[in-house]
Amino acid sequence: MSDAPRRAVRFRGGGYEVRPRRWAPWLIFALLLLLWHVASSRGWISPSSLPSPGSVVLAFGEMIERGTLQKHLWESARRIALGWALGTLAGLAIGLSMGIFSLARAGLLPLVSALFPIPKIALLPLFILWFGIGEASKVATIGFGVFFPTVIAAYAACDSVPRNLIRMAQSFGLPARHIVWKVLVPGAMPGILAGFRITASIALILVVAAEMIGAEYGVGAFILATGNLMQTDHLVAGVAILSLFGLLVNWLLSAIERSVLRWR
């Protein structure tokens, strides 16, 4: 053996390790606000095109004082919650069935593949004919738009569960229902929750579109009304409400994900 002194080799495999940087998004957000404020105050951006951040904050305060923010937000949240819940429950039932039963997969997969690419907002006039201009057509649009991504997410998540785990459970004589609830569903849960994030965004898009077509109250109706009146400060405030609403939904889903996936 060589008598040369041994040197410790530095570990170099941590280059892609995820490290939390909680200050980074706040810094980027603050820089964007500062850039927006400077551009508005120096006249680089016309107030009729994009109002200053201060004008948007004043519009927020006015909406809260008049109570319009709470009313519009409540109507949109109620429609999203109902439509998303109905579409998600139905999508989970069909998607899990397709992931578990071969007959359901063979019979429903071609139908889902054929209907999924249809832009769901294009069906809103049809839903209005079926359910009327009221709440039912808006909820149906959101539910139908959420249904197909949930089906595909649940089906694909079930399909991605390692078959060795299922075969091992079968070899130990575990009943089929226990294999589903103790092996298949927990293994598919990360994919299902990832699908929830996508469907929450889809629900937000669809509720705005549905409210723009026929609603008195709701964030979408508010944005359309302020756009027609050229109230750009209120319009941007409405868009900011949607962004904050999306952040809140994302935070809720993250909390659910941390609670459900503690076993990982």
Side-chain angles (χ1 to χ4, degrees):
M1 294 182 61
S2 172
D3 294 333
R6 293 182 178 180
R7 290 190 306 167
V9 178
R10 185 173 60 86
F11 178 66
R12 291 170 291 185
Y16 291 100
E17 184 182 357
V18 178
R19 298 175 182 175
R21 298 285 189 273
R22 297 185 184 280
W23 51 266
W26 296 104
L27 177 63
I28 293 174
F29 187 68
L31 287 174
L32 284 176
L33 276 180
L34 179 63
L35 182 64
W36 181 11
H37 173 72
V38 170
S40 298
S41 60
R42 291 179 178 271
W44 297 342
I45 301 176
S46 168
S48 59
S49 301
L50 183 64
S52 66
S55 302
V56 175
V57 172
L58 289 176
F60 259 118
E62 185 180 337
M63 290 170 63
I64 294 173
E65 188 178 354
R66 291 182 177 179
T68 54
L69 173 64
Q70 297 87 326
K71 191 167 186 62
H72 289 299
L73 198 55
W74 163 250
E75 292 294 331
S76 295
R78 184 173 58 81
R79 289 167 184 143
I80 288 175
L82 187 56
W84 187 84
L86 291 175
T88 298
L89 289 176
L92 278 179
I94 299 296
L96 291 176
S97 299
M98 289 169 58
I100 295 171
F101 303 109
S102 300
L103 180 61
R105 177 183 304 198
L108 295 176
L109 185 57
L111 183 64
V112 171
S113 302
L115 296 178
F116 176 64
I118 297 174
K120 307 306 177 291
I121 192 63
L123 298 175
L124 181 56
L126 194 60
F127 287 142
I128 291 175
L129 286 176
W130 289 348
F131 303 110
I133 195 69
E135 295 300 308
S137 59
K138 299 172 183 59
V139 172
T141 303
I142 297 168
F144 196 71
V146 166
F147 173 76
F148 288 101
T150 306
V151 169
I152 292 175
Y155 157 69
C158 283
D159 219 31
S160 65
V161 175
R163 288 293 180 265
N164 289 340
L165 294 177
I166 299 173
R167 293 190 187 104
M168 184 176 67
Q170 289 172 336
S171 67
F172 278 103
L174 210 64
R177 65 179 185 280
H178 288 177
I179 294 176
V180 169
W181 291 113
K182 294 185 177 180
V183 178
L184 196 63
V185 171
M189 197 52 72
I192 293 173
L193 290 174
F196 284 0
R197 291 180 182 273
I198 297 172
T199 56
S201 301
I202 292 173
L204 200 59
I205 295 169
L206 289 177
V207 75
V208 171
E211 289 172 349
M212 282 185 171
I213 290 179
E216 185 178 0
Y217 295 105
V219 179
F222 174 76
I223 290 174
L224 182 65
T226 53
N228 291 335
L229 296 173
M230 295 296 290
Q231 294 177 327
T232 52
D233 50 350
H234 287 74
L235 190 153
V236 175
V239 174
I241 291 169
L242 292 175
S243 177
L244 294 174
F245 193 79
L247 284 174
L248 176 63
V249 171
N250 187 61
W251 177 79
L252 285 174
L253 289 175
S254 298
I256 293 172
E257 192 172 300
R258 283 195 299 273
S259 173
V260 173
L261 302 181
R262 282 180 298 181
W263 54 270
R264 287 205 300 183

